[in-house]
Structures are given as structure tokens and as C-alpha cells.
Amino acid sequence: MTDRIIDFLRDRREKGQDDGPCMVLDLNVVRENYSAFAKALPDTRVFYAVKANPAPEVLKLLAALGSCFDTASVVEIQQALAAGATPDRLSFGNTIKKERDIERAYELGIRLFAVDCEAEVEKIARAAPGSRVFCRILCDGAGAEWPLSRKFGCVPEMAGRVLEHAHRLGLVAYGLSFHVGSQQRNPRMWDAALASSAEIFRDLAERGIHLSMVNLGGGFPTKYLKDVPAVKAYGQSIFKSLRKHFGNRIPETIIEPGRGMVGNAGMIEAEVVLISKKSDDDTVKWVYLDIGKFNGLAETMDEMIRYPIRTAYDGDELEPCVLAGPTCDSVDVLYEKDPYLLPVSLEIGAKVLIEGTGAYTTTYSAVEFNGFPPLKSYVI
Ligand SMILES: *Cc1c(COP(=O)(O)O)cnc(C)c1O
């Protein structure tokens, strides 16, 4: 699967273009992931979450495959449109939008918006009259390696009121959304949110408002160190819950995969800058890479995402190492609480390959913190 990436990296080295860490993403893997989603959830439309990796080549490929796009800003809307998606295939899925951005999106043809409170509904009613809105409900994110906290969504009891307000203001109360937390390793975690959704559908129907859609969000995992269930298992579990809670009146559904669409398509090549100990009897080595929290590996925050790391010394004896980035900021440490096992024979100057880095890396990287350039990205 990563042979193409390995070949690309060798080529880059041979041409003398190897000047710092880079992320290489294989479009063939994205294509496979898209088909796997389409197959696992055949009646569900895919809205790729652009923020996971907005590389134009990725967006273009997905647009050509028929994907829709979940966008969070005017720039992301423009990126998806530039890739060939028509505005009816886009949603403005951020619940926190400036009114002038809603207006701009409306001018660009966007008619589907996320909300989670009445104030946001009012902005949309003014700036994007007649549009469809879906209300995001809170999800606790249990079981997710990158939970999404309480920043987005409202309690289910409030969602009905928010959508009623939208209806009253001339918008189309279109449906509900939730996100079960990113890198969600438990396929059954959609069940509770679908139970709440079905209840809101029924409540609103009694008041004459008929919702059409449930947005199942993202959360589909990519493989890091631990194994994750296949997307097929998610499809089966979600379908079972839809049947259980909606009976034979299953609504239109959409998913918004980000990580699950591009995570395993990318690999970072980085270099060991220094290996040292803090004292003669130190039991852990410190290994410093030329990549850290500020130039691509932000998701190691709180050691949440643990990336698989390959080296040319794999197979040798392993020892626990603190892994850190290159900047002069003390938070630029990747794994310390839970040290990372690396080969004893690893040397300064060695290359390391960090797998599963196609999502949430390049655009998380700072512009020039400490003089380190943003992470280079190649799409092949
Ligand atoms: C980030 C985001 C996603 C993608 O989540 P993944 O866990 O990467 O699949 C989906 N929907 C919304 C609204 C998001 O903000």
C-alpha cells in the first residue's frame, strides 16, 4: 500500500530534494477509502470533511468520485467549488459562523447550514433565507481517542426548539447532526445519538414539522498503533440502529468522514536530529525529530493520537524513548508520559516514517514558528 510513497521518497532523496520533513499522500488509498464508505453505507451520501486534508488533488479526486463536502469556512467552500463540486453538494457544517460568511456562502450557492442554537438560526434566516438547516446535538464522545467536547451541539431537548424557530423564520428544518468523537473505535457509539434523533423526529412531526435527514458526522477511525474495526462494521452497526429507532421510516442520511477518508493515505518522513540522555543513569533516551507539535504532529497533544513509526532498524531490540520535536518550546514533546518504544540501534541522522498521517497534519502546522517551515505536502 505504501510502496508508491516509499518509491517517491527514495526518488526525492536521489534528486537531492530532501530538505526537511514532508508528508506524502497516495491518492489510490483515498480512492479505496471512498469506495469502502460508499459500499459500507450504500444509501448514505458522503460529505468529506475538508478540514482533514484540503489538498486540491484530494478534493478534485473526491469531487470526481461523486463525493459531497462538509466545509467550515468560506475558504473551504471555495476550495471545494474549485475542485469541481457544485454548491448543492456542499454543506456549511460549522455551527459557529459570522453572518457575513453565511451571506458569502449563500451568494456562492450554499443552501445547507448547521446550527446549534436560536441565535445562529436567526443569522441564517437573515443572510441565507429559505435555506435548509440541520441542528447539531451534543454527543459525549465516549470511546473516541480525539473526543470533541461540548463545543458543538445542544442537548436533544433544545434541538426541537431550535428547529421550530428555524421553521418559523422561513427556513427548512431539514434534520439533525451529531459527531460521536474523532477516531471512534466503537461502532456502536452511534446508537444513543440515533435514539435521541428519532425522538426529536417524532416530537417535531407531532408539531407539523417533518425532518428529512440525519447527519451521522465523522468519527470513522484510521489505523494507528491499535487495530480498528473495518468501515463495514460501522455500516452494519449504524444500519441496525437506524432500523431499531426509525423502523421502516429511515430518513435520508449523510456521513462526514475526515480522518477515515485520508488518514491512512499519508505518511510523513522525518529525521532524527539528536539522541541524548538527561543523566548517566537515565532509563529513557530522548529522541528529537525534525518534526513536532508545531510542524504537523499537533494531534499528539495530550498524547492522544499515537502514530506508528517505522525505521530502518525495525526488528532490533527496543527501548523506551521520550520523543520530542525540534522547536525551543517545552510543550513540543510528542510522547513522554507513555514513552515510545524505538530500536536501541537508532542513530542520529536516521530517517523515520510516521504512518497514518494523511489527516490533520499539514494544515495544523504553524507558518514559521521558531523558523521551522510548514510541513511540506506531496500528493501522488
Ligand atoms: C471534523 C469534522 C468531521 C470529521 O471528523 P473525523 O473524525 O475526522 O471523521 C466531520 N464533521 C464535522 C462537523 C467536523 O467538524
Side-chain angles (χ1 to χ4, degrees):
M1 176 178 81
T2 51
D3 285 355
R4 290 182 73 216
I5 297 180
I6 303 282
D7 290 347
F8 175 88
L9 287 168
R10 188 186 316 112
D11 211 43
R12 177 178 182 251
R13 209 158 30 237
E14 280 167 7
K15 286 183 185 148
Q17 293 162 344
D18 172 7
D19 58 350
C22 69
M23 193 279 291
V24 188
L25 184 131
D26 184 346
L27 284 178
N28 285 348
V29 180
V30 179
R31 193 179 289 110
E32 283 164 21
N33 290 341
Y34 182 84
S35 334
F37 277 116
K39 217 164 123 193
L41 290 142
D43 298 318
T44 300
R45 277 199 302 166
V46 176
F47 280 64
Y48 170 61
V50 172
K51 74 170 184 290
N53 190 326
E57 299 90 338
V58 171
L59 301 183
K60 228 175 256 172
L61 169 70
L62 288 171
L65 292 172
S67 185
C68 300
F69 296 88
D70 164 47
T71 62
S73 63
V74 171
V75 170
E76 283 190 357
I77 290 170
Q78 288 165 332
Q79 288 170 331
L81 292 173
T86 45
D88 57 307
R89 283 161 62 189
L90 269 57
S91 69
F92 200 161
N94 192 343
T95 51
I96 305 152
K97 303 175 283 300
K98 286 182 180 164
E99 192 161 327
R100 60 174 178 274
D101 288 343
I102 299 171
E103 213 173 283
R104 186 79 188 101
Y106 186 74
E107 284 164 10
L108 290 168
I110 311 307
R111 297 291 182 271
L112 183 59
F113 296 86
V115 294
D116 66 359
C117 66
E118 296 188 16
E120 193 72 13
V121 164
E122 283 163 18
K123 287 190 217 165
I124 294 169
R126 284 189 297 264
S131 292
R132 293 168 162 182
V133 294
F134 55 87
C135 184
R136 179 149 168 187
I137 54 177
L138 274 172
C139 236
D140 70 3
E145 288 182 13
W146 187 262
L148 297 176
S149 78
R150 291 174 53 81
K151 182 169 171 185
F152 312 102
C154 61
V155 294
E157 302 80 71
M158 200 168 141
R161 228 165 53 223
V162 170
L163 287 168
E164 241 184 320
H165 195 55
H167 180 75
R168 208 162 34 232
L169 296 182
L171 297 167
V172 180
Y174 196 58
L176 296 166
S177 76
F178 54 84
H179 194 301
V180 295
S182 202
Q183 188 66 7
Q184 176 53 263
R185 291 172 54 228
N186 183 351
R188 288 187 301 277
M189 287 310 291
W190 275 256
D191 188 70
L194 283 171
S196 307
S197 301
E199 209 178 306
I200 301 166
F201 266 62
R202 284 191 293 272
D203 278 358
L204 282 176
E206 279 170 19
R207 286 178 264 168
I209 299 172
H210 299 277
L211 302 181
S212 312
M213 184 272 287
V214 177
N215 176 346
L216 304 159
F220 306 93
T222 200
K223 191 188 172 313
Y224 296 116
L225 281 174
K226 293 178 207 150
D227 273 328
V228 293
V231 63
K232 197 171 152 200
Y234 288 81
Q236 285 165 346
S237 175
I238 287 171
F239 186 72
K240 217 170 103 192
S241 294
L242 281 166
R243 267 261 171 277
K244 179 166 129 203
H245 302 297
F246 287 90
N248 55 9
R249 305 180 65 170
I250 293 183
E252 178 195 329
T253 50
I254 69 180
I255 50 169
E256 301 175 328
R259 191 186 303 280
M261 187 71 84
V262 290
N264 66 339
M267 191 153 81
I268 285 173
E269 184 183 65
E271 188 178 314
V272 177
V273 180
L274 181 67
I275 301 177
S276 64
K277 285 194 165 190
K278 300 290 167 192
S279 66
D280 291 334
D281 53 3
D282 209 345
T283 50
V284 289
K285 266 189 195 165
W286 282 68
V287 174
Y288 301 89
L289 302 177
D290 61 355
I291 189 167
K293 276 203 165 68
F294 299 101
N295 55 346
L297 302 180
E299 285 204 315
T300 56
M301 202 182 293
D302 295 330
E303 309 196 12
M304 278 196 272
I305 298 295
R306 268 181 105 74
Y307 295 105
I309 298 176
R310 278 166 48 186
T311 73
Y313 307 87
D314 288 353
D316 292 0
E317 190 192 334
L318 300 172
E319 65 183 331
C321 299
V322 175
L323 200 62
T327 65
C328 292
D329 190 309
S330 55
V331 308
D332 193 9
V333 174
L334 308 178
Y335 306 116
E336 180 178 17
K337 273 182 285 177
D338 190 1
Y340 203 98
L341 291 174
L342 287 170
V344 179
S345 44
L346 188 67
E347 285 178 357
I348 292 174
K351 296 287 185 196
V352 300
L353 294 171
I354 309 172
E355 294 182 319
T357 43
Y360 304 122
T361 51
T362 48
T363 49
Y364 263 159
S365 117
V367 171
E368 206 166 37
F369 177 53
N370 233 186
F372 291 93
L375 180 59
K376 272 202 196 67
S377 155
Y378 300 97
V379 178
I380 59 173

